[in-house]
């Protein structure tokens, strides 16, 4: 159908470059910085589990070391497009676990840049370990240079591409990304790295919203050609021999995703429903896996990689939405012990109203039987409330001075517990929700 297939390959390359450039432009760096250590730890655990399992699986297949590295990335990085679409379609944007899911996706995008910087020299077929080390140093040096430009040179880049005319802004922006991607390739670094990082630079300029809007239609058209071109390179007859490895890879990814979801839920104090939602929403693999295998095929690695990754991505693209929409069934069979052993979780409670501050529960009992602030003021109180973060005891909201709530606001300690004999319920004043009762006691 195509008289000159190299023309289609060129258009596909432009689609790949614009796909990664747009990803860099919309990269919310402030969200990563503001997510805190818990979000970073959750993302590191997710990436570490999936990439490590993918690497071990790739080595077990015995296709080669470079092939195992490609499989590790293909199995380790989820599809941000599918995950975001799932959150919208399943109406979970307001859920407590959704910021964690989005944060993991964003950090994965940043990890992709470093992974490509490592993968490109490995795929270059270096003649010696010294040459490989040199190429890795060049790759990471170029990456570091673009990070420095993003940090300190964004204003200069903004002046370079800035224009009041949308047409001129679009032309200059696309020209810039093609130039940097080409420069990356000339240096022996993947053009994908250059495109992603120059997108990150543009995201730091005041023109990033206009660039994102203008480049989006072009990205959609050319990226579609990239996916079609990849599909044309796969012979359907080659899918049969890799069916079993692809199914095994799906099982490995499902197990590691659920495990990572449990770890994230423990870090943020979510229940089983939150853990299941995290693990199954970001289960799908897509554009990043295809990008990695495209680079591998261009480097003449094992030709089984193409059909294997294509089938693996296709299965998960279908399976992930189905499993994510039925996450409540996984939550029902998930034992309490995998989250926190001394709590009974309400599995069917939606995490939209769940407390997200359970990590601040440190003190669960007190011998104090008076509100000291009320005693100093010479006033009475109705009931007492215990701050489970620091042990402060104050009067309840039915008391004249409401010292427990005042302390929670001043100290930013969100959860209170009843200090009345025979009562052990807890309430989060920030999330305005009743917190789960301890195991073995009735939930008030």
């Amino acid at each position: 159908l195509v008289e000159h297939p190299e023309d289609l390959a060129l258009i596909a390359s432009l689609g790949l470059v614009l796909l990664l450039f747009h990803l860099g432009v919309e990269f919310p760096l402030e969200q990563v910085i503001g997510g805190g250590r818990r979000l970073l730890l959750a993302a590191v655990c997710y990436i570490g589990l999936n990439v490590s399992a993918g690497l071990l699986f790739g080595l077990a297949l015995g296709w080669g070391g470079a092939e195992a590295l490609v499989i590790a990335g293909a199995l380790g990085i989820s599809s941000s497009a599918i995950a975001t679409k799932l959150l919208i379609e399943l109406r979970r944007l307001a859920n407590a676990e959704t910021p964690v899911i989005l944060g993991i996706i964003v950090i994965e995008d940043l990890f992709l840049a470093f992974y490509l910087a490592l993968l490109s020299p490995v795929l270059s077929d270096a003649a010696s370990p010294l040459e490989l080390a040199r190429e890795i140093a060049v790759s990471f040096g170029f990456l570091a240079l673009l990070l420095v430009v993003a940090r300190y040179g964004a204003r200069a880049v903004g002046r370079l591409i800035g224009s009041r005319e949308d047409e001129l802004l679009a032309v200059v922006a696309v020209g810039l990304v093609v130039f940097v991607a080409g420069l990356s390739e000339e240096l022996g670094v993947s053009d994908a790295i250059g495109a992603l990082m120059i997108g990150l630079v543009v995201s730091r300029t005041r023109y990033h919203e206009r660039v994102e809007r203008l480049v989006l239609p072009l990205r959609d058209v050319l990226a579609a050609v990239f996916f079609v071109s990849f599909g044309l390179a796969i012979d359907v007859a080659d899918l049969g021999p890799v069916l079993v490895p692809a199914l095994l890879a799906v099982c490995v990814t499902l197990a590691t995703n659920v495990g990572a979801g449990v770890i994230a839920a423990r870090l943020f104090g979510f229940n089983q429903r939150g853990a299941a939602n995290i693990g199954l929403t970001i289960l799908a693999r897509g554009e990043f896996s295809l990008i990695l295998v495209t680079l591998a095929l261009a480097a003449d690695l094992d030709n089984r990689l193409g059909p294997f990754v294509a089938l693996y991505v296709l299965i998960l693209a279908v399976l992930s939405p189905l499993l994510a929409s039925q996450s409540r069934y996984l939550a029902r069979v998930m034992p309490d012990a995998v989250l926190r052993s001394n709590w009974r979780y309400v599995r069917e409670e939606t995490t939209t109203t769940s407390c997200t501050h359970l990590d601040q529960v440190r003190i669960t009992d007190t011998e104090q039987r008076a509100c000291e602030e009320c005693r100093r003021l010479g006033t009475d109180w109705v009931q007492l409330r215990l701050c489970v973060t620091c042990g402060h005891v104050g009067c309840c909201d039915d008391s004249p001075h409401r010292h427990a709530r005042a302390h929670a606001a001043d100290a930013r300690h969100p959860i209170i517990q009843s200090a009345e004999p025979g009562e052990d319920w807890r309430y989060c004043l920030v999330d305005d929700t009743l917190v789960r009762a301890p195991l073995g006691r009735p939930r008030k």
Side-chain angles (χ1 to χ4, degrees):
L1 296 178
V2 181
E3 185 176 355
H4 300 288
E6 62 275 8
D7 296 339
L8 186 63
L10 176 61
I11 298 174
S13 298
L14 290 174
L16 170 61
V17 165
L18 288 179
L19 181 67
L20 287 164
F21 170 69
H22 195 270
L23 177 66
V25 171
E26 63 182 3
F27 184 81
L29 186 61
E30 289 75 14
Q31 179 180 337
V32 176
I33 297 173
R37 288 179 295 179
R38 284 191 300 173
L39 177 59
L40 180 61
L41 182 58
V44 168
C45 290
Y46 178 85
I47 296 171
L49 274 176
N50 282 277
V51 172
S52 300
L55 181 62
L56 293 175
F57 182 80
L59 292 173
L61 288 177
W63 293 354
E67 286 80 359
L69 197 60
V70 173
I71 292 173
L75 270 62
I77 303 176
S78 61
S79 170
S80 57
I82 296 178
T84 305
K85 186 69 173 177
L86 277 176
L87 291 173
I88 297 172
E89 293 293 331
L90 298 176
R91 298 180 181 179
R92 292 177 181 172
L93 290 176
N95 280 22
E97 78 277 358
T98 295
V100 180
I101 293 173
L102 294 175
I104 292 174
I105 291 172
V106 168
I107 295 174
E108 274 189 310
D109 295 342
L110 189 60
F111 168 78
L112 177 65
F114 291 94
Y115 198 80
L116 287 172
L118 174 64
L119 185 63
S120 296
V122 173
L123 298 182
S124 66
D125 195 21
S128 66
L130 183 61
E131 184 179 349
L132 176 61
R134 183 186 64 80
E135 291 181 359
I136 291 176
V138 170
S139 185
F140 277 94
F142 185 69
L143 182 64
L145 175 63
L146 290 176
L147 285 172
V148 171
V149 173
R151 177 65 179 85
Y152 299 104
R155 183 173 299 180
V157 173
R159 286 196 296 265
L160 175 65
I161 67 173
S163 174
R164 295 180 179 179
E165 301 294 334
D166 283 352
E167 293 87 349
L168 185 58
L169 178 61
V171 169
V172 175
V174 172
L176 178 64
V177 65
V178 171
F179 170 74
V180 175
L183 180 62
S184 301
E185 187 134 347
E186 286 297 318
L187 292 174
V189 184
S190 170
D191 54 359
I193 296 178
L196 178 63
M197 297 309 298
I198 197 61
L200 185 60
V201 173
V202 172
S203 73
R204 306 287 291 172
T205 70
R206 62 190 181 97
Y207 298 100
H208 73 276
E209 292 183 355
R210 288 178 60 202
V211 171
E212 184 178 353
R213 172 175 57 84
L214 293 170
V215 173
L216 180 61
L218 188 60
R219 182 211 69 172
D220 287 343
V221 172
L222 297 183
V225 177
F226 164 72
F227 291 119
V228 170
S229 177
F230 177 81
L232 289 172
I234 303 300
D235 189 341
V236 177
D238 294 334
L239 297 178
V242 297
L243 175 60
V244 173
L247 292 175
L248 291 175
V250 168
C251 294
V252 169
T253 302
L254 181 60
T256 52
N257 261 54
V258 172
V262 169
I263 292 173
R266 287 178 63 93
L267 288 171
F268 286 88
F270 297 146
N271 61 359
Q272 280 95 333
R273 191 68 176 271
N277 285 348
I278 293 172
L280 298 180
T281 302
I282 48 180
L283 176 63
R285 302 297 186 261
E287 60 274 17
F288 300 143
S289 300
L290 299 185
I291 289 170
L292 293 174
V293 77
T294 298
L295 297 176
L297 294 177
D300 293 326
L301 296 189
D302 196 308
N303 56 15
R304 289 174 292 183
L305 278 176
F308 166 76
V309 172
L311 189 56
Y312 166 77
V313 167
L314 180 61
I315 293 173
L316 282 182
V318 175
L319 191 62
S320 176
L322 297 175
L323 293 178
S325 65
Q326 304 298 322
S327 60
R328 63 184 181 276
Y329 294 109
L330 175 61
R332 289 177 185 175
V333 300
M334 194 177 291
D336 293 330
V338 301
L339 294 173
R340 192 173 294 181
S341 59
N342 61 334
W343 289 91
R344 183 180 71 247
Y345 286 83
V346 184
R347 290 174 172 81
E348 291 307 304
E349 177 187 352
T350 62
T351 53
T352 307
T353 56
S354 292
C355 172
T356 58
H357 304 94
L358 295 179
D359 60 321
Q360 299 190 39
V361 177
R362 301 184 182 96
I363 299 174
T364 59
D365 198 10
T366 182
E367 298 296 327
Q368 187 173 333
R369 293 294 178 257
C371 176
E372 294 299 332
E373 288 97 333
C374 287
R375 179 175 288 177
R376 284 194 295 269
L377 294 172
T379 58
D380 294 329
W381 62 86
V382 179
Q383 288 189 346
L384 298 176
R385 302 291 181 252
L386 167 69
C387 172
V388 297
T389 301
C390 68
H392 172 273
V393 175
C395 55
C396 67
D397 284 356
D398 292 328
S399 303
H401 297 288
R402 307 172 72 181
H403 285 126
R405 184 176 287 273
H407 166 78
D410 292 340
R412 296 185 178 181
H413 294 167
I415 301 178
I416 58 172
Q417 176 179 307
S418 175
E420 297 298 311
E423 294 185 359
D424 56 9
W425 55 265
R426 294 172 185 169
Y427 195 85
C428 180
L429 297 172
V430 174
D431 292 321
D432 194 24
T433 187
L434 191 68
V435 179
R436 299 177 286 267
L439 184 64
R441 300 181 183 180
R443 188 175 186 268
K444 301 293 184 180

